[in-house]
Amino acid sequence: RPARIDHHNVQIALTVLALARRLGLDPLAASLAGLAFALHPIHTESVTFISGRTDILATLLFLLALLGYARWREDGKAWALAGSLGAFFLALAAKEVAVTLPVLLALYDWLVARRAAAGTKGTIARLALRLAPYMAVIALYIVTRMVALGALVESDPGVWGSLLTRCLTTVKIVAAYAWLTLLPFP
């Protein structure tokens, strides 16, 4: 039986390709980036286990939010910003790690958009204004979460361990996944 191709992974790979093109990579390099994303073995869990589907959904929406922001920065179209904000909210709803998007947008402004607008000075105040709608989306998400769950976080520390335990576990998990991204073995 032939291997099943997950259409969500294909969508994400195409989004990676579009993002790579938007970042200025030539078509071959952008295609290789999309292909590397699609074929990387670290995605196996996300495709084969139902609990990993949130990773795929959050990744797709996160990348679409980044693409929408890049489009908005390029041509100032309000629909691009609205789409980016909507995709960001949905990415947060899928997986809360999407909260890192404003940091990536700030890096995008610093590394890419600044170079494209070579004569204009980007101040911290202007960056804060550009990122304010994304902070408002985070605030909306927090309110929505509190209304739905009754609290922002679990009130009983015994359920998940102490804050120190959770922070150290997070560092360990991030390091392990960073390693698997670079060397997907064993």
Side-chain angles (χ1 to χ4, degrees):
R1 198 167 99 175
R4 182 175 171 264
I5 296 176
D6 183 71
H7 70 281
H8 292 104
N9 244 6
V10 172
Q11 290 170 336
I12 296 171
L14 291 173
T15 307
V16 168
L17 171 95
L19 182 60
R21 289 292 294 144
R22 169 101 29 212
L23 294 175
L25 270 65
D26 64 69
L28 178 61
S31 298
L32 289 174
L35 189 62
F37 185 90
L39 297 178
H40 200 289
I42 202 167
H43 303 300
T44 304
E45 270 183 19
S46 298
V47 173
T48 57
F49 298 114
I50 194 69
S51 63
R53 302 305 280 181
T54 58
D55 296 341
I56 293 172
L57 184 59
T59 300
L60 177 62
L61 293 164
F62 187 95
L63 292 173
L64 289 173
L66 178 57
L67 272 170
Y69 180 81
R71 179 73 184 257
W72 174 65
R73 289 284 285 130
E74 184 179 296
D75 59 20
K77 302 276 188 200
W79 64 264
L81 177 61
S84 176
L85 293 169
F88 179 45
F89 183 82
L90 293 173
L92 280 170
K95 196 147 181 117
E96 291 171 343
V97 73
V99 75
T100 59
L101 181 68
V103 174
L104 196 61
L105 298 180
L107 284 171
Y108 174 84
D109 270 5
W110 184 56
L111 295 172
V112 178
R114 182 180 67 160
R115 186 176 45 205
T120 62
K121 291 205 177 229
T123 66
I124 298 288
R126 279 192 225 147
L127 177 62
L129 281 174
R130 283 192 297 273
L131 295 181
Y134 293 89
M135 303 315 277
V137 167
I138 292 171
L140 176 64
Y141 174 76
I142 289 171
V143 168
T144 303
R145 179 183 166 85
M146 288 179 69
V147 167
L149 300 178
L152 185 58
V153 294
E154 178 65 45
S155 58
D156 180 11
V159 174
W160 298 105
S162 69
L163 180 60
L164 177 62
T165 301
R166 287 183 281 174
C167 289
L168 291 175
T169 302
T170 300
V171 169
K172 180 182 176 185
I173 290 169
V174 168
Y177 274 103
W179 177 255
L180 286 173
T181 299
L182 298 174
L183 185 67
F185 180 80

